[in-house]
């Protein structure tokens, strides 16, 4: 394995660019979506990429971009508050400034799904990194065959982007299947793990492409279920999260086997991961 740095000088890649917060929206009790002014007019990103977000004086964390890749006027990031840095980020107000580095990392490669059935499978806050895939596919809907979003959350109250899910459910060209682990009597949808939705959707396992993001145990069971149905590893995409510091393959914090997930990932196919594969470790 060789450490390959880009030709760019290191300082600009490592220096957070101050970006103004345009809006803060509460999604769930612990999860907020921030919209930021991009660092420059040439800002763009690919679905699945992340930025390193810096709460000045507190710390820097990797956060996936959750907005529409076609809208380069803002950076949209959805953050669950779990510790010092994410707590500080979600407490920000419009007009406050945070530091941004990136975008970094690999993408979900939606082109791989063109001409095929597409399955987008999300668990919990894993819908945030996958929302750009849904939006990208819908922006170019005629390029894809059947498109299905399968989403699992703990309870109906934990569904991320609830209004948008409702809107997507109203579309004739996107199948949206949602399940929850636990529900009150008012919930009329399926109850159970997200893998239980796979049998309800229609796709050709010989050619379909799946993009899967959520807790690792959820991704493992989902991948196993797709493989059982005839998917090959090269058509199964997952997003691997590890502690990240530099974001550019320098510090080694994100190492998983022979990969530095900050630049070789976070999105990888199961075929790429063969050998260091966690998928069969259930
Ligand atoms: C590529 C990538 C994309 C990410 N995208 C998002 C996103 O879109 N939205 C979001 O809310 N979070 C995302 N995360 C996770 C986020 O980076 C962590 O929650 C954050 O680093 C926690 O920092 P903290 O200082 O707030 O909490 P800490 O005090 O550092 O950690 C609090 C708790 O969170 C756990 N934790 C820390 N880092 C991670 C991690 N990477 N994955 C899972 N658990 C972790 C710790 O083990 C600890 O239990 C992403 C992580 C990666 C690597
Ligand atoms: S975060 Fe430093 S090598 Fe990946």
């Amino acid at each position: 394995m060789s450490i390959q740095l880009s030709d760019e000088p290191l300082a600009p890649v490592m220096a957070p660019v101050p970006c103004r917060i345009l809006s803060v929206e509460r999604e769930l009790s612990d999860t907020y979506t921030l919209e930021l002014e991009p660092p420059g007019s040439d800002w763009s990103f690919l679905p699945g990429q992340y930025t390193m977000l810096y709460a000045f004086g507190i710390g820097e964390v990797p956060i996936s971009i959750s907005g529409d890749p076609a809208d380069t006027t803002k950076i949209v990031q959805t953050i669950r508050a779990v510790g010092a840095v994410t707590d500080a980020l979600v407490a920000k107000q419009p007009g406050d400034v945070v530091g941004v580095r990136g975008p970094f990392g690999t993408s979900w490669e939606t082109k791989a799904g063109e001409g095929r059935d597409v399955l987008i499978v999300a668990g919990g806050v894993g819908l945030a990194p996958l929302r750009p895939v849904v939006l990208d596919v819908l922006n170019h809907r005629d390029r894809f065959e059947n498109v299905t979003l399968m989403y699992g959350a703990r309870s109906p109250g934990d569904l991320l982007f609830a209004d948008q899910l409702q809107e997507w459910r109203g579309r004739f060209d996107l199948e949206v299947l949602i399940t929850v682990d636990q529900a009150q009597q008012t919930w009329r949808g399926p109850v159970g793990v997200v893998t239980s939705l796979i049998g309800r959707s229609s796709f050709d396992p010989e050619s379909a492409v799946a993009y899967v993001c959520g807790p690792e145990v959820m991704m493992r069971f989902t991948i196993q279920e797709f493989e059982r149905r005839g998917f090959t590893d090269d058509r199964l995409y997952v997003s691997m999260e590890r502690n990240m510091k530099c974001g550019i393959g320098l510090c080694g914090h994100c190492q998983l086997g022979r990969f530095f997930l900050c630049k070789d990932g976070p999105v990888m196919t199961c075929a790429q991961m063969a050998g260091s594969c966690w998928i069969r470790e259930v």
Side-chain angles (χ1 to χ4, degrees), residues 243-254 260-263:
N243 194 356
M244 291 179 186
K245 293 290 173 208
C246 69
I248 56 169
L250 268 186
C251 70
H253 271 88
C254 64
F260 284 168
L261 290 176
C262 64
K263 66 178 185 62

Side-chain angles (χ1 to χ4, degrees), residues 130-189:
L130 280 172
R131 183 164 69 165
V133 176
V134 181
L135 295 169
D136 196 39
V137 166
L138 293 180
N139 289 341
H140 308 98
R141 184 61 190 86
D142 56 327
R143 298 182 189 170
F144 303 88
E145 297 297 322
N146 292 338
V147 181
T148 308
L149 169 64
M150 293 175 236
Y151 179 36
R154 272 175 302 188
S155 74
D158 292 309
L159 292 172
L160 202 55
F161 312 136
D163 291 345
Q164 195 160 34
L165 286 173
Q166 197 58 31
E167 180 198 319
W168 287 343
R169 281 186 127 162
R171 291 183 68 121
F172 66 91
D173 57 356
L174 172 67
E175 186 175 22
V176 178
L177 301 171
I178 300 175
T179 185
V180 294
D181 296 340
Q182 303 148 10
Q184 309 82 352
Q185 282 177 342
T186 48
W187 174 255
R188 282 179 295 171

